[in-house]
């Protein structure tokens, strides 16, 4: 989970730099202190299984399952992050929109970069649900859903992320100007744009869980049989 978190953030910065965008301190604060740190603690609260079994834990850190799981999920996540990034690539930046409207804030560092919000949303969801994705579970630990603190915090992060997107980004469109700091008028098609990367994010999480729970186990079984021969 820690490796996945770090590599996903590297992918974020790689794509953002291609359009000379910067994530704000609030973005990193949310990812690091609100999502990553609590979930890293709650993962350790997962209890072991109640009965003994004959399974052995991995003897090396870079075993087949970890490599296939980590880099396979990272590749899939990168595809979806790029898809969200590509949606905004040909759109005017927030700075350009402010300049057109003649309402550029004096403090440009606090300017709301709407292009980063899509990547922020999908990364926040990946960081949150990744804790459930990579938790070991059977045969060594209780299922992830039995760790109520972990599941509760993942759901809280999800609610906060949706709230940030639909209030901060679409606040102007829904008459919530007073609740939005640095809001600007929506361009044509902006509502559909937000809905599009929300759908991409939900699809990304579902694809990663499908890969982890089905494809990884199958690939490990296939490579294991070939190795034994």
């Amino acid at each position: 989970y820690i490796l996945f978190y770090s590599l996903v953030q590297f992918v974020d910065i790689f794509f953002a730099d291609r359009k000379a965008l910067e994530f704000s301190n609030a973005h990193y604060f949310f990812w690091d202190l609100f999502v990553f740190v609590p979930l890293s603690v709650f993962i350790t609260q997962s209890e072991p299984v109640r009965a003994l079994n004959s399974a052995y834990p991995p003897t090396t850190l870079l075993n087949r399952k970890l490599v296939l799981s980590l880099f396979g999920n990272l590749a899939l996540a990168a595809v979806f992050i790029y898809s969200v990034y590509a949606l905004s690539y040909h759109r005017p930046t927030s700075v350009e929109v402010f300049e057109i409207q003649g309402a550029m804030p004096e403090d440009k560092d606090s300017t709301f970069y709407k292009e980063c919000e899509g990547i922020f949303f999908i990364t926040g969801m990946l960081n949150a649900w990744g804790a459930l994705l990579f938790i070991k579970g059977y045969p060594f630990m209780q299922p992830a859903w039995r760790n109520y603190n972990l599941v509760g915090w993942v759901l809280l992060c999800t609610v906060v992320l949706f709230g940030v997107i639909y209030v901060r980004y679409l606040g102007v469109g829904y008459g919530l100007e007073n609740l939005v700091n640095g809001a600007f008028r929506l361009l044509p098609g902006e509502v559909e744009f937000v809905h599009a990367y929300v759908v991409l994010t939900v699809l990304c999480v579902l694809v990663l869980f499908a890969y982890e729970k089905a494809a990884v186990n199958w690939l490990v079984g296939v490579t294991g049989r070939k190795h034994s021969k």
Side-chain angles (χ1 to χ4, degrees), residues 172-183:
V172 177
Y174 293 126
L176 302 174
E177 291 88 346
N178 294 331
L179 298 179
V180 185
N181 181 24

Side-chain angles (χ1 to χ4, degrees), residues 7-23 28 31 74-89 115-116 118-120 122-123 126:
L7 292 172
V8 164
Q9 203 165 98
F10 170 79
V11 172
D12 294 340
I13 297 172
F14 173 80
F15 287 133
D17 283 347
R18 290 172 61 88
K19 203 178 179 183
L21 300 173
E22 294 181 1
F23 294 104
Y28 290 111
W31 287 338
L74 179 64
L76 292 171
V79 170
F80 282 95
I81 292 172
Y82 176 78
S83 299
V84 171
Y85 161 80
L87 285 175
S88 66
Y89 186 79
E115 300 77 18
C116 291
I119 299 178
F120 163 75
I122 189 171
T123 300
L126 288 171

Side-chain angles (χ1 to χ4, degrees), residues 139-208:
F140 308 113
M141 303 172 69
Q142 295 282 353
W145 62 267
R146 297 290 298 272
N147 188 334
Y148 302 119
N149 290 335
L150 179 66
V151 174
W153 199 263
V154 169
L155 294 177
L156 176 62
C157 291
T158 302
V159 171
V160 171
L161 282 165
F162 273 92
V164 167
I165 289 300
Y166 282 103
V167 172
R168 182 174 171 83
Y169 197 118
L170 298 182
V172 177
Y174 293 126
L176 302 174
E177 291 88 346
N178 294 331
L179 298 179
V180 185
N181 181 24
F184 52 88
R185 290 198 302 270
L186 295 176
L187 299 177
E190 290 297 312
V191 175
E192 292 76 11
F193 169 62
V194 176
H195 294 332
Y197 68 65
V198 167
V199 170
L200 280 172
T201 299
V202 174
L203 182 60
C204 175
V205 172
L206 294 176
V207 169
L208 262 60

Side-chain angles (χ1 to χ4, degrees), residues 11-88:
V11 172
D12 294 340
I13 297 172
F14 173 80
F15 287 133
D17 283 347
R18 290 172 61 88
K19 203 178 179 183
L21 300 173
E22 294 181 1
F23 294 104
S24 68
N25 291 333
H27 288 143
Y28 290 111
F29 179 85
F30 182 86
W31 287 338
D32 296 343
L33 297 183
F34 188 78
V35 178
F36 177 70
V37 172
L39 290 178
S40 298
V41 173
F42 292 144
I43 285 177
T44 64
Q45 296 178 349
S46 298
E47 297 182 356
V49 293
R50 299 298 184 184
L52 296 175
N53 60 71
S54 59
Y56 287 90
T59 56
T60 60
L61 178 61
L62 294 177
N63 55 79
R64 287 194 305 274
K65 186 167 186 178
L66 185 144
V67 171
L68 290 171
S69 174
L70 174 62
F71 292 103
N73 280 302
L74 179 64
L76 292 171
V79 170
F80 282 95
I81 292 172
Y82 176 78
S83 299
V84 171
Y85 161 80
L87 285 175
S88 66

